[in-house]
Amino acid sequence: MPDSSSSASARLAAALASLHGQMADRISTASSVREEHSHGEAMNAAFLPEAVIFAESTDDVSAVLSICHDHRVPVVAFGAGTSVEGHVVPPEHAISLDLSRMTDIIQLNAEDLDCRVQAGITRQTLNTEIRASGLFFPVDPGGEATIGGMCATRASGTAAVRYGTMKENVLGLTVVLATGEIIRTGGRVRKSSTGYDLTSLFIGSEGTLGVITEVQLRLHGRPETLSAAVCQFETLDDAILTAMEIIQCGIPINRVELMDSMQMDASIRYSKLEEYQPLTTLFFEFAGASAAVQEQVTATEAVAAANNGLSFAWANTPEERNRLWKARHDAFWAAKAIDPKARVISTDCIVPISRLGELIAGVHQDIEASGLRAPLLGHVGDGNFHTLIITDDTPEGHARAWELDKKIVARALSLDGSCSGEHGVGMGKLDFLETEHGAGTLAVMRALKDTMDPRHILNPGKLLPAGPVYRG
């Protein structure tokens, strides 16, 4: 066992010497590889890991963590690098553990609508490979995210209003603990009343309690009919009221997404949606049997018409539906194209759906007072929305954006909301955790961290703000 008083650089050197014997050519210290693993998306923070290790199996991950635990070397798990709150930014003297080569579909159980996959497979690849089975995995955060990363951040996205988040779509996990011990949580059954719910504990833990290497997923049958529509509104209030009433009426809509007028203007230009006006817009998707879809459509049109919605524009072909949803997923890049030299910082708040109108009205006031440009969009079917704050890429610009973000989060928390509906905490939301959860709840979280990762090697400095137990 190494001397715990030795320097961090000496402990790292000793760990790497041990790891070279087991991982050999899967360890990289190349500058370009280290730079790629120094940051995620849409974050200012970046720090080079000392080395990047490419794992190809659960046993690889176990070997790395065992050695790093012995030598007290920090480890940050890395998938696709698409997180937006600094989750994958390493601390000093750390190793980045890349799971992107772990892409196998281990088991497909079409009759039971489930599968087991390695954590490095992306949702797009999974859906392509299982398409012939007539099944699909519905959680869609938009980016090229890995399934393991989606579990770690408790991802959701555009289809959550119908299918739920990662929490509702994961049956079990294989996890490697800080010591290198391998455990399996959950299973293939749809419910169980035995023991602590460890699967849910690791979902959303952001790599701070263990590294997820395999995931048992729920799958869903591909619907017989898919139909998409766009409806525009003269006012933001009418659009929000429409979304709220659709959910409250129990219409089983597949997706309902909002873009305000500024975001729609940017998307018209970026995604070439010339047939639409720069007005607040709702994007709808309907799925199911043909007759059921028609019922959903009729009911939704009635709600929209009652709230002054302009006529629906339909997209019934796969090409046109894909075009619309690609425009929605490209909204960040459309906002960035407003000023290519600027920085775009994405906020992420959620409130009970009945408070959404009040929140967005207040946020528009905050945006106007700030003098910043900030298009707004979101998954309004579950009360989640994002503000894309466009600011100068300077310390002063970042400070102005941060002040606006703090005001938006404060409004959400005052309306019984949360500082994050899907992006997670990482480093970017640490300041809001005590206000949202309270000191007592954070003390329990820190105790869990201290018990499961006593040497604090797993993604230190993320998810939990510094406290009396958490050492970082």
Side-chain angles (χ1 to χ4, degrees):
M1 180 72 64
D3 180 0
S4 63
S5 65
S6 60
S7 71
S9 57
R11 296 197 304 271
L12 174 70
L16 286 174
S18 295
L19 287 164
H20 270 288
Q22 297 194 41
M23 306 300 289
D25 58 350
R26 284 177 281 159
I27 299 177
S28 176
T29 55
S31 297
S32 60
V33 176
R34 293 168 61 209
E35 195 284 328
E36 180 184 351
H37 291 75
S38 69
H39 58 87
E41 287 186 0
M43 273 294 296
N44 300 316
F47 198 89
L48 290 176
E50 296 294 334
V52 178
I53 300 179
F54 293 90
E56 295 179 357
S57 68
T58 296
D59 286 342
D60 283 350
V61 175
S62 175
V64 171
L65 291 190
S66 177
I67 290 170
C68 288
H69 181 264
D70 286 346
H71 292 274
R72 301 175 186 266
V73 171
V75 179
V76 179
F78 190 99
T82 55
S83 62
V84 296
E85 295 293 353
H87 304 87
V88 297
V89 177
E92 279 190 286
H93 307 294
I95 287 171
S96 179
L97 180 58
D98 189 310
L99 279 69
S100 64
R101 296 182 183 179
M102 297 177 60
T103 59
D104 289 347
I105 298 176
I106 299 166
Q107 190 179 54
L108 174 62
N109 308 297
E111 298 87 351
D112 296 317
L113 281 75
D114 71 77
C115 69
R116 191 169 194 87
V117 301
Q118 287 187 307
I121 194 170
T122 65
R123 63 177 186 88
Q124 292 96 329
T125 299
L126 172 61
N127 279 326
T128 297
E129 294 193 12
I130 66 173
R131 186 174 185 83
S133 70
L135 304 176
F136 79 112
F137 181 66
V139 182
D140 176 11
E144 186 79 8
T146 64
I147 295 295
M150 289 167 64
C151 288
T153 56
R154 200 185 293 126
S156 55
T158 59
V161 67
R162 173 77 173 265
Y163 294 103
T165 70
M166 288 302 289
K167 178 182 176 183
E168 289 78 36
N169 286 280
V170 174
L171 296 168
L173 300 167
T174 298
V175 181
V176 183
L177 303 181
T179 58
E181 181 183 356
I182 301 168
I183 66 169
R184 288 186 68 155
T185 73
R188 290 187 54 214
V189 294
R190 294 305 170 108
K191 60 181 181 179
S192 173
S193 298
T194 59
Y196 297 118
D197 186 359
L198 296 182
T199 301
S200 291
L201 177 64
F202 287 106
I203 300 293
S205 64
E206 301 185 7
T208 63
L209 301 179
V211 176
I212 296 167
T213 60
E214 295 179 8
V215 187
Q216 194 83 30
L217 294 171
R218 292 176 184 261
L219 300 176
H220 299 261
R222 289 186 176 275
E224 173 189 327
T225 302
L226 273 176
S227 185
V230 171
C231 187
Q232 300 200 279
F233 297 81
E234 295 285 355
T235 71
L236 184 65
D237 288 344
D238 284 341
I240 294 170
L241 185 59
T242 298
M244 288 172 52
E245 290 182 355
I246 287 168
I247 302 303
Q248 291 164 350
C249 289
I251 300 171
I253 197 162
N254 216 40
R255 312 191 217 195
V256 53
E257 298 284 306
L258 178 142
M259 291 187 186
D260 74 355
S261 56
M262 182 181 292
Q263 179 62 61
M264 196 62 190
D265 182 54
S267 292
I268 287 168
R269 286 182 277 112
Y270 183 84
S271 298
K272 300 190 170 41
L273 301 176
E274 292 91 349
E275 67 269 38
Y276 300 105
Q277 301 179 61
L279 299 173
T280 299
T281 303
L282 290 179
F283 291 71
F284 300 100
E285 185 176 82
F286 309 92
S290 180
V293 166
Q294 188 54 54
E295 289 180 5
Q296 296 168 30
V297 167
T298 300
T300 300
E301 281 191 298
V303 172
N307 290 311
N308 305 308
L310 306 179
S311 60
F312 272 50
W314 291 97
N316 290 316
T317 67
E319 294 77 17
E320 185 61 19
R321 286 199 309 273
N322 291 339
R323 174 173 171 263
L324 285 179
W325 289 109
K326 187 176 189 306
R328 167 59 185 88
H329 286 320
D330 286 349
F332 177 88
W333 304 109
K336 189 168 180 59
I338 293 174
D339 184 352
K341 295 181 180 179
R343 187 81 183 184
V344 178
I345 298 173
S346 176
T347 71
D348 169 36
C349 291
I350 186 168
V351 292
I353 191 169
S354 64
R355 313 300 297 272
L356 185 60
E358 183 180 352
L359 174 62
I360 291 180
V363 168
H364 267 202
Q365 294 173 13
D366 293 335
I367 293 170
E368 186 174 349
S370 73
L372 294 168
R373 291 170 294 179
L376 186 149
L377 66 155
H379 320 307
V380 289
D382 54 17
N384 190 195
F385 83 98
H386 310 290
T387 306
L388 302 180
I389 304 173
I390 302 169
T391 185
D392 293 337
D393 195 7
T394 63
E396 296 76 17
H398 299 163
R400 290 179 68 199
W402 177 239
E403 282 303 310
L404 176 57
D405 188 21
K406 287 196 291 185
K407 290 181 180 179
I408 293 170
V409 171
R411 283 190 182 275
L413 295 179
S414 72
L415 297 172
D416 300 320
S418 171
C419 68
S420 178
E422 59 184 6
H423 288 176
V425 177
M427 298 187 300
K429 300 283 187 181
L430 288 175
D431 288 359
F432 308 123
L433 265 288
E434 185 161 349
T435 301
E436 180 169 337
H437 293 288
T441 300
L442 285 185
V444 173
M445 293 183 188
R446 292 186 184 111
L448 277 169
K449 170 71 173 175
D450 207 42
T451 299
M452 298 183 69
D453 181 17
R455 295 183 176 177
H456 294 265
I457 68 164
L458 295 176
N459 211 7
K462 318 295 170 49
L463 187 62
L464 286 172
V469 174
Y470 182 68
R471 292 187 294 273

